[in-house]
Amino acid sequence: MQRILAIDYGTKHIGLALTDPLQIIAKPYQTIQFQSNALLIKSILQVISEQDVGLVILGLPWGSEGQETKKTLEVKKFGTYLEMQLPVPMEFWDERFSTAEANSELKKMGYDFMKAREFVDAVAASLILRSYLENRK
């Protein structure tokens, strides 16, 4: 089996998470500082190649009531662009509250706010991926 890569897209930081090869466990992988879409795509393609990824999950941030927001439209636009560049399939996945949940998890683990900022996006991506794994058909 191939791994699944999850992406928590942000305008400053992009969190990545990967499954194990059996697609059972989701774990944070890395956080990328956003510089440009071209460099981000290059980084994602490198991870896909190096980690034998067969599917990409892109977190889609719906509003708290399930409505589209400005951020939802921004991520959809990026997702359309990303999908055209990928050698593997991509799916959108609801990521409502993933960053808030990631911050909560890091706080429980004893990270202060400044230290948690380094990991929160990758942890959010792992929560998106865990949700996908638990709910996929």
Side-chain angles (χ1 to χ4, degrees):
M1 288 183 106
Q2 293 180 298
R3 295 176 191 266
I4 301 172
L5 171 68
I7 302 170
D8 179 40
Y9 180 81
T11 52
K12 293 183 181 179
H13 306 99
I14 294 84
L16 303 180
L18 286 167
T19 64
D20 62 295
L22 297 176
Q23 300 179 0
I24 298 169
I25 300 168
K27 62 181 185 175
Y29 182 66
Q30 75 182 103
T31 300
I32 299 171
Q33 297 287 103
F34 183 83
Q35 295 174 328
S36 71
N37 277 339
L39 287 174
L40 176 57
I41 300 288
K42 182 178 179 183
S43 295
I44 291 169
L45 290 174
Q46 185 175 352
V47 171
I48 289 170
S49 174
E50 290 175 357
Q51 297 296 324
D52 191 28
V53 171
L55 175 64
V56 172
I57 302 299
L58 179 59
L60 194 58
W62 295 100
S64 60
E65 302 294 322
Q67 76 279 16
E68 279 192 341
T69 66
K70 182 179 173 187
K71 189 68 175 174
T72 309
L73 298 174
E74 179 185 333
V75 173
K76 279 184 174 182
K77 182 178 177 181
F78 171 75
T80 301
Y81 175 72
L82 174 64
E83 195 168 24
M84 291 187 300
Q85 315 296 318
L86 293 176
V88 298
M90 186 198 86
E91 294 180 31
F92 287 104
W93 193 257
D94 186 350
E95 68 141 299
R96 258 178 289 184
F97 313 118
S98 63
T99 301
E101 188 178 343
N103 277 316
S104 176
E105 290 296 316
L106 288 165
K107 187 175 181 181
K108 286 180 198 172
M109 294 167 56
Y111 287 93
D112 65 25
F113 174 75
M114 293 305 288
K115 192 68 174 165
R117 285 182 8 181
E118 296 176 32
F119 305 106
V120 71
D121 299 292
V123 172
S126 72
L127 294 172
I128 294 165
L129 189 50
R130 183 176 72 188
S131 171
Y132 175 81
L133 292 173
E134 290 172 351
N135 294 287
R136 67 182 169 174
K137 293 178 174 60

